[in-house]
Amino acid sequence: MLFTEFIRQSREQLQLPQRKLAEALDIDTATYCKIEKGERKVKKEQVVVIAQVLNIEEKELLSLWLADQVSAIVADEKSIAEKVLNIAKDNINRE
């Protein structure tokens, strides 16, 4: 979980309590805690807010978030995951 580890480490470096990020996201602290543990998915809009609060470049954080989502989708298909990712990359480059 690149995304969750990164936001936890970034938050800790800034010495921000979880409740501050929870407030910014308009969720309770328990829910935010689940986000950091990888037990709850984060919406794209929430990633943008987290980036602002933690003073992280939005594209960097969105990249980690999306990479985690893609990894979760292909994780059970290890034998073809690399091929799938290459096809997706080629498809994106064509657009």
Side-chain angles (χ1 to χ4, degrees):
M1 294 266 176
L2 298 171
F3 175 79
T4 56
E5 291 172 14
F6 187 78
I7 62 170
R8 181 186 54 78
Q9 289 173 357
S10 298
R11 179 186 58 76
E12 288 174 350
Q13 281 182 330
L14 294 172
Q15 299 180 342
L16 280 175
Q18 289 179 330
R19 66 180 164 74
K20 291 290 185 183
L21 272 165
E23 287 173 15
L25 294 169
D26 198 27
I27 58 176
D28 61 34
T29 304
T31 301
Y32 179 77
C33 184
K34 288 178 182 179
I35 288 171
E36 279 194 6
K37 289 180 180 179
E39 297 172 0
R40 180 180 169 100
K41 293 193 180 218
V42 183
K43 298 175 186 167
K44 184 177 181 179
E45 302 80 30
Q46 292 174 313
V47 176
V48 173
V49 172
I50 293 169
Q52 292 169 349
V53 172
L54 297 178
N55 198 27
I56 299 168
E57 185 179 328
E58 189 177 309
K59 284 185 179 182
E60 179 181 1
L61 200 56
L62 283 169
S63 295
L64 291 174
W65 170 75
L66 192 54
D68 271 357
Q69 289 191 29
V70 171
S71 295
I73 291 169
V74 298
D76 292 336
E77 303 295 337
K78 290 184 186 281
S79 64
I80 61 169
E82 187 173 343
K83 183 175 183 175
V84 169
L85 293 172
N86 285 331
I87 292 169
K89 181 180 175 183
D90 291 343
N91 192 36
I92 290 168
N93 289 335
R94 274 191 243 148
E95 293 176 5

